[in-house]
Amino acid sequence: MKRPWQGQTEQPQKVELPQYDEKCYLCPGNERSGGIRNEKYISTMVFENDFPAVLPPPGPKSPEPIHPLLRLEPVQGNCDVLIFHPRHDLTLARLSSSDIERVIEEWKAIYVRRGNQEGIEYVQIFEVGIINCTIIFPA
């Protein structure tokens, strides 16, 4: 037996973004929040995160355990940002097949580069879809 839907149904919100946003810190030629100016890129762009979640090697030494069951280990690595396309209004789903292929090639290149970096044990790639980029945390 199927239960009837009794909840509210919402229509998708239509969001119209400009192709270029002069206030967006990821758009081509704009200044990022860390003070660095983006190049006027025409395809994908990769840069080290201005505010990384982990710091690059060498990391601090592990502290002495306070209990045999509790162990702390510092994490070190790098954080990269991959911008999919220079247009502010495009999401991954709206990119052409060739643009998506470029994104995938960049993912692979970063994965290999960071994965071969000394002291890096794994590379985590995830998408922050709301801002049309991928942030990569090798640690």
Side-chain angles (χ1 to χ4, degrees):
M1 174 166 88
K2 286 188 170 183
R3 288 188 271 171
W5 173 252
Q6 295 179 2
Q8 184 173 338
T9 302
E10 298 284 342
Q11 293 297 319
Q13 293 181 356
K14 187 171 183 173
V15 176
E16 293 194 27
L17 298 172
Q19 288 187 13
Y20 169 79
D21 183 350
E22 63 188 27
K23 296 178 182 165
C24 174
Y25 61 91
L26 298 177
C27 278
N30 289 357
E31 186 175 316
R32 296 200 307 265
S33 55
I36 298 169
R37 187 161 297 278
N38 294 329
E39 61 187 73
K40 294 197 177 212
Y41 58 96
I42 57 171
S43 182
T44 58
M45 185 178 87
V46 178
F47 62 91
E48 286 196 30
N49 196 323
D50 296 327
F51 302 99
V54 294
L55 297 175
K61 293 183 180 182
S62 297
E64 291 296 321
I66 57 173
H67 188 277
L69 295 177
L70 302 175
R71 192 171 111 194
L72 298 172
E73 289 187 26
V75 175
Q76 59 190 11
N78 297 88
C79 301
D80 298 300
V81 176
L82 165 59
I83 301 174
F84 298 161
H85 197 277
R87 280 189 44 189
H88 184 83
D89 60 332
L90 294 178
T91 63
L92 187 61
R94 294 180 182 262
L95 293 179
S96 69
S97 295
S98 61
D99 287 332
I100 292 171
E101 287 175 10
R102 274 189 226 115
V103 171
I104 293 168
E105 290 304 315
E106 287 288 354
W107 279 336
K108 290 171 20 182
I110 294 168
Y111 184 86
V112 169
R113 179 171 49 91
R114 292 300 189 187
N116 288 326
Q117 195 174 336
E118 187 176 336
I120 300 299
E121 295 181 26
Y122 63 91
V123 178
Q124 179 180 357
I125 297 176
F126 64 93
E127 182 179 348
V128 183
I130 198 164
I131 59 172
N132 193 24
C133 70
T134 296
I135 301 176
I136 299 158
F137 291 104

